[in-house]
Amino acid sequence: MQKYFPALQYINIPNGVTSLGLMFGVAACYYISAGSLRGAVGMVALAMLMDLLDGMLAGKLNQQSRFGAYLDSFVDFFVCCIIPVMLVYSFVGASLPLYLAMAFYCMCGMWRLAYYQIVTATEGQTFFTGMPVPGGALLVSMSIWIVVHYYVSEWLSVAVFALTGLLMISYFRLEKYGLWQKAMWLLGIAFFGLVMAS
């Protein structure tokens, strides 16, 4: 089988979990088209959970690979950069300032993921340089939810998209699996609970 489909040689549990994250991202697109913000945010949350699990499983099972790292980055860009923009277009609308902030956020996310591949991943560092893209997606998703459900000015999302973009490409360092990451996951779980209860 691998003779005809050489990419199949990289099938393993972590890459399967990463691919499941992509499937949740595609499901989020369905909910966006159906006008369900709650369903879309729920699917994004599940995709982010897969992003956490695939890295943990790769380490525990000793199945880390360059293929898996690239696969993870592609899924992260789709779920954490493109889908938030789709959420804005579908539920908020896009003025010129918001469009520019979203474009800046996506470019920073793309640069952050590319930088991670050529520096952090290759050198085996134990810290992240700049905010990881999933953390940025959580912040912008929360801002979208607040704007839509609490009738706050869209300028909140403009500011959050722009600031998050800067944080993703900044130089500050965050320890992998440190306290900050646990805090972000607790924030994400609280946000997910709020969305599901609304």
Side-chain angles (χ1 to χ4, degrees):
M1 181 68 74
Q2 293 180 8
K3 176 181 178 181
Y4 300 103
F5 304 99
L8 295 183
Q9 66 183 297
Y10 296 104
I11 290 179
N12 58 30
I13 292 174
N15 291 342
V17 172
T18 304
S19 300
L20 184 58
L22 175 66
M23 294 174 66
F24 284 127
V26 173
C29 294
Y30 164 77
Y31 281 107
I32 291 171
S33 67
S36 173
L37 179 58
R38 182 170 66 175
V41 171
M43 290 299 105
V44 169
L46 290 173
M48 289 184 179
L49 178 60
M50 297 303 104
D51 183 60
L52 173 68
L53 291 176
D54 62 6
M56 292 174 59
L57 288 170
K60 289 185 178 296
L61 299 175
N62 196 26
Q63 294 181 339
Q64 297 165 317
S65 67
R66 295 296 294 151
F67 179 88
Y70 280 112
L71 192 69
D72 185 67
S73 287
F74 286 131
V75 175
D76 278 353
F77 184 73
F78 174 64
V79 172
C80 301
C81 294
I82 301 302
I83 289 180
V85 171
M86 295 175 64
L87 287 171
V88 170
Y89 278 125
S90 296
F91 297 104
V92 179
S95 62
L96 180 59
L98 188 50
Y99 166 78
L100 293 174
M102 291 188 302
F104 177 72
Y105 168 81
C106 285
M107 285 189 290
C108 290
M110 180 176 63
W111 279 63
R112 168 68 179 76
L113 290 166
Y115 179 81
Y116 179 80
Q117 287 304 320
I118 65 170
V119 178
T120 308
T122 55
E123 295 181 2
Q125 294 175 350
T126 59
F127 55 85
F128 294 110
T129 301
M131 174 179 285
V133 175
L138 172 62
L139 295 180
V140 298
S141 296
M142 291 175 64
S143 77
I144 296 166
W145 180 265
I146 291 170
V147 168
V148 172
H149 279 270
Y150 299 104
Y151 307 103
V152 176
S153 169
E154 70 174 31
W155 281 98
L156 172 66
S157 284
V158 171
V160 173
F161 271 104
L163 179 60
T164 303
L166 287 173
L167 289 174
M168 288 192 295
I169 60 172
S170 65
Y171 184 70
F172 75 88
R173 295 177 175 182
L174 296 168
E175 182 183 355
K176 290 185 178 180
Y177 308 113
L179 180 62
W180 71 273
Q181 200 166 22
K182 295 180 177 65
M184 289 296 289
W185 277 105
L186 287 174
L187 179 63
I189 292 169
F191 175 55
F192 180 73
L194 173 65
V195 170
M196 293 300 104
S198 296

